[in-house]
Amino acid sequence: MVPIKQEPGLEQRPGRGLGMPESVADGLYETASERVHRLRHVRSDAPSISTRMRAPSVSSRLPGEAENDGDNDCLMMEIRTNHKVESEPSILGTQSLQGSFVGANRALRDIGQKLKYINDALGELQARGIQHVASLPELVLVGDQSSGKSSLMSAIAGLSLPRSSGTCTRCPIHIRVSRADEWSCRVFLKQDYEFRPLNRPLTERDVTKANKFPPWVKLDPSRQARREFKTVRDQHDAEEIETVLRCAQAAILNPSTPYQFFVPKLRGEAPDSTRQQHLDQVKRKEERAEAQFSPNTVALELRGPDLSDLNFYDLPGVFMTARREEDIFLESVVKNLTLEYISRPSAIIMCAVPMNQDTENSLALGLIRKQHAEKRCIGVMTKADLLPKDPSSARNWLSMLHGRAHPLGHGYFITSRQGSDLEEQNKREEAFFNRTADTTGSWPVEFDEFKDHCGVEKLKAFLSLKLGEEFAKILPEVKDKVNSRLVDIQEQLQKYPDPPPNPELEIMKSLTEFTIRVKDRVLHQDFLAHWDGSCGEPFRAKILSLKPKFNVRDHAKASSRDEQTRATPKPREVIDLDGPSPSTTPSNRKRQAPGADVSQATPKRPRAHPMNGHIKVEPVDFPMPPPATPQHVRHATPTGTPSSRKTSRTLMDLRNLIRRAAVPGQPGLISATVYEPLFIEAARLWEKPVDTFVDLTFNILQSDITGILNTAFAHLNNRAVYKESLAHIRAFMENLKGELRTQLQSIYRLEATRLFTKDEDTLKRHEAAEMKLLVRHRNHFRIAAHNGEELNAVPKMEDMTDEELRQEESRFAKELKNLGPDPFQPELEVAAYIRGYYLTAANRFVDYACIHVMSGLLPRVASVIDTYLHDKLGLLSSSAGRATAQDVLQRLMSEGPEIEQKRRDLRAEKETLDGAMDIIVNLERREREQAAAAASQYAASTVFDASQAESMLDEGHTNGVGSGTTYSATAYGDV
């Protein structure tokens, strides 16, 4: 193997041991040829310090590096013929380095450019405020008061930021630094919180977990705003920069005043007297600020040719004791703000620790430890020039650098910022750590092993790379979250569409569709069948189920056996001739539906008028109550206390009623006054079913019409025309509902007032059927009582075979001969008449009610709906006098402030996220282009063989640089 010459001083390079790739740390932004050209000149003993910031990872002369002696040593390198390529760490994927130094140098330059793209993209995403959608990696600078944080911030930003008292210390500051051809400093105001002051001074008790920054309240992401404040073009005018920052902070602290009031005029933009007058006004506002502190952010976007690519937040310094008693609450507020930022999982924390103070007293380090964020933390030892000369002090700091004390995940860097401006600070820092000129303080030699950790330039290079790496890791996740949120926003925006270009046409189209579909629906057979099954038939069944009930058990003396048991009368049963059979004791089975009758077994198949029932135990000779609306079966009184709402009457009740109504001297005649109270008592129960029938009818009708309205106005459902139409239709339905209820109540009152029918045939048919049913049940009870038997069930006729029916008739003929005529025959005739007339009147009433819907309500809806909404909305010519057509359309197409604000918020968020997606897509496109270019270069390049290398070296050129330069392969990795 051909030996390789090792340059002196290259054993340790800046950034090695800090998690940076060696080749990237050695030349992040310079090509090898540029670096060799710069190192050709012989350095003097005095510190050769550039007055402008150099590339972030390489200083003017690396500590410990030998001066170039001018010898023209040959470069000796190993030539590998198998084209094996080592993988160089890349930010967005894998970048392969070529087998030549030309390929390696280009790869390093590509990495630097790629890092710029990444950090630029990250900064733009942070500036757009997408943190509510995806968490972005960010640098957060924290520290105690007087920890050198302001100087460190200025050094990282590459800008002489003002450090006067009160500037940028009462709100967070977000600094974005990136390289550009021209220098500029743009200032923005980021409003994430709303100011809601209290009517009293704030105290520590006001600072809670739910309210961390009183009196500021977090805004919804859609209401958060980022406003451009001012742009400064002169890099060297520190006074102007300080003025803009002070005015920006004053705007943040005085939220009730429009921020435009605080925007200052720069020199040349206004006369000096006008500028000074305005600044005096701003100063008065600043001195009497509405808030002493704000979590809202002042953002600086710095661009320039010599700047690094970084984004970071600088937070107000943590302090233990407030200057004024009334500001004690700020102690907790500033701590909460620091905890808020360092608790973010994606935050990379820089903690400033001054070397002239005891680390054990660092409040910032304590907060980091409290959040268990040490692994995400970079320690920055500031004020190295003020390090006490006590040897024990140096040992303590060295212990931290070795990771034995206060270990942090990313280790420590050391800085020393002396001087009044940035240029002077850079000079003195390099001279201080190189010990090449007289500076304040003396840097102990014990720290030489950590020379790669010394200086802001090395810190900036590491931060830039680390931030880019973290962002590259989560970029796919960020893209997915942004895209998912965009889909959600698009779905929400579909609910709030833009106004149609021709609103009158759209309204008329919707109204026409609505009226046509309503007319077709309410007159269609499907709707009529649906209504009849849901309303008509249930209403009929309910009315028929309220047919009067009579107990046909005979308690009169029928035999000697009955006479013996007369002293202890048996309980009698309520008999429903259409329901289950009675038993001698009350049943524990489930009660039947309201108004049901009881007497026969549960039917096995439905009859023409199915009814349910139950058994009620009542005392013998239950007195006849005054006519009243009967009570439901389950509420009937089963003991000796008479109920005012009986559900049934006994034959004795009917006998007593007949006797009281009889005309003296007219034996055997039943007065007409006996029948009417019995029917009216039953008919009074119709009122509630009628109300239910009306309600259910309009529930179905309104549901269908509302559904048609929703469909017809689907594209206008966020407009006033839809809301007004819906309100008019509901009012229309309520009016029709009231009319139908009035009509049916009128018919109900006619039916419930007296007995009347001209349909004699129907009445006789019902009466005969009911008489047959009553007599059959009566016969069963008479025969059972005569024989001393307990009647457990009366079989239903429809459940019996023809043979069983013939046997029953034969049995009746035989048994009834011994019993003789029924003594309650007149009472049975009265009961049969009442039940027969009830069926006649009930069916007639049900027909009336249903025909009012089928032939009255529905056709009227179809005829009126044609012009109803047009008139109510003011679209007919008769309504033109109320308002002009333009006014009507404007009213109908309005959405209301809430919807309009919602649309604006969604569009603003969509615009933000669309921009974010463009940034991500452009970053991925650049990565693909770079990958394609690298692949193309690899395919086109040739590997140097030994003869080619000798030829190049003989000519005195290496990598395109003239003679007098010596390369070392180990400077960029053995490729």
Side-chain angles (χ1 to χ4, degrees), residues 817-858:
K817 288 181 180 179
N818 299 327
L819 296 178
D822 192 340
F824 286 96
Q825 184 65 23
E827 288 77 10
L828 290 173
E829 292 175 355
V830 170
Y833 183 89
I834 294 300
R835 287 166 65 92
Y837 179 82
Y838 182 92
L839 292 176
T840 303
N843 282 298
R844 178 177 62 196
F845 177 67
V846 170
D847 284 347
Y848 282 148
C850 292
I851 203 170
H852 269 76
V853 174
M854 300 280 285
S855 300
L857 172 65
L858 299 181

Side-chain angles (χ1 to χ4, degrees), residues 31 39 102 187 255 493 521 601 605 628 679 703 721 725 806 934 957:
T31 65
L39 295 178
V102 176
V187 181
L493 282 175
R521 176 59 179 165
R605 61 177 181 265
F679 169 73
S703 175
V721 62
S725 298
R806 285 193 296 270
H957 295 276

Side-chain angles (χ1 to χ4, degrees), residues 317-391:
V318 184
F319 58 90
M320 180 75 72
T321 306
R323 294 181 179 179
R324 301 184 304 172
E325 183 177 357
E326 58 267 28
D327 294 338
I328 291 178
F329 76 97
L330 289 177
E331 300 171 9
S332 300
V333 168
V334 174
K335 289 179 182 177
N336 285 341
L337 181 69
T338 303
L339 291 172
E340 176 82 9
Y341 278 81
I342 67 177
S343 62
R344 299 175 182 176
S346 58
I348 301 174
I349 308 162
M350 291 183 290
C351 182
V353 183
M355 299 187 75
N356 62 337
Q357 297 180 15
D358 189 354
T359 312
E360 308 297 332
N361 298 327
S362 174
L363 298 175
L365 274 178
L367 294 177
I368 292 170
R369 186 177 294 114
K370 181 179 180 180
Q371 291 296 314
H372 305 289
E374 297 95 326
K375 291 184 179 180
R376 296 184 283 111
C377 187
I378 304 167
V380 183
M381 300 176 179
T382 61
K383 303 184 179 182
D385 50 296
L386 300 181
L387 176 68
K389 295 183 178 181
D390 182 7

Side-chain angles (χ1 to χ4, degrees), residues 672-729:
T673 59
V674 173
Y675 301 93
E676 194 167 274
L678 293 172
F679 169 73
I680 293 175
E681 185 179 46
R684 285 177 180 173
L685 297 176
W686 292 357
E687 189 169 8
K688 186 175 180 181
V690 167
D691 287 339
T692 302
F693 171 76
V694 173
D695 291 339
L696 189 56
T697 295
F698 275 89
N699 286 345
I700 295 174
L701 182 60
Q702 184 164 327
S703 175
D704 279 31
I705 293 179
T706 302
I708 294 173
L709 182 73
N710 292 339
T711 302
F713 286 84
H715 62 298
L716 300 174
N717 59 4
N718 60 325
R719 306 287 172 179
V721 62
Y722 167 75
K723 297 176 182 178
E724 290 187 22
S725 298
L726 184 60
H728 290 315
I729 287 298

Side-chain angles (χ1 to χ4, degrees), residues 731-749:
F732 178 59
M733 291 290 103
E734 285 299 320
N735 290 335
L736 293 178
K737 184 177 182 180
E739 292 178 5
L740 180 63
R741 179 172 279 115
T742 300
Q743 293 168 351
L744 298 188
Q745 286 176 347
S746 177
I747 300 173
Y748 160 73
R749 285 192 295 270

Side-chain angles (χ1 to χ4, degrees), residues 752-894:
T753 300
R754 62 182 304 162
L755 276 68
F756 181 87
T757 183
K758 288 291 187 179
D759 190 1
E760 186 176 355
D761 292 341
T762 301
L763 174 61
K764 287 183 177 180
R765 186 175 68 254
H766 287 315
E767 182 181 5
E770 293 299 320
M771 187 64 183
K772 181 179 180 180
L773 192 61
L774 287 167
V775 169
R776 178 173 178 267
H777 279 73
R778 174 71 177 161
N779 290 339
H780 274 288
F781 282 109
R782 288 185 69 199
I783 292 172
H786 176 76
N787 296 331
E789 299 173 352
E790 290 294 336
L791 182 61
N792 294 323
V794 176
K796 302 191 74 171
M797 295 179 64
E798 56 266 29
D799 295 337
M800 300 173 64
T801 65
D802 293 341
E803 179 62 28
E804 290 173 338
L805 290 174
R806 285 193 296 270
Q807 291 177 1
E808 183 184 70
E809 291 177 2
S810 175
R811 181 180 173 230
F812 283 168
K814 180 179 179 181
E815 295 286 348
L816 291 177
K817 288 181 180 179
N818 299 327
L819 296 178
D822 192 340
F824 286 96
Q825 184 65 23
E827 288 77 10
L828 290 173
E829 292 175 355
V830 170
Y833 183 89
I834 294 300
R835 287 166 65 92
Y837 179 82
Y838 182 92
L839 292 176
T840 303
N843 282 298
R844 178 177 62 196
F845 177 67
V846 170
D847 284 347
Y848 282 148
C850 292
I851 203 170
H852 269 76
V853 174
M854 300 280 285
S855 300
L857 172 65
L858 299 181
R860 186 181 177 196
V861 170
S863 63
V864 173
I865 203 66
D866 267 332
T867 58
Y868 180 79
L869 282 182
H870 294 74
D871 180 57
K872 292 297 182 180
L873 295 174
L875 295 172
L876 293 180
S877 57
S878 60
S879 306
R882 306 176 199 170
T884 64
Q886 190 63 31
D887 292 339
V888 171
L889 291 176
Q890 185 176 359
R891 186 194 83 240
L892 295 179
M893 295 305 294
S894 66

Side-chain angles (χ1 to χ4, degrees), residues 562-614:
D562 289 340
E563 184 69 26
Q564 294 174 0
T565 59
R566 184 76 177 268
T568 308
K570 296 181 180 179
R572 57 183 179 171
E573 296 84 0
V574 176
I575 305 302
D576 176 4
L577 305 182
D578 301 325
S581 299
S583 61
T584 57
T585 58
S587 173
N588 291 328
R589 60 183 172 82
K590 184 178 180 182
R591 297 280 184 175
Q592 302 298 327
D597 298 341
V598 187
S599 99
Q600 294 185 348
T602 303
K604 298 181 181 179
R605 61 177 181 265
R607 301 183 59 186
H609 308 302
M611 301 179 191
N612 297 327
H614 71 278

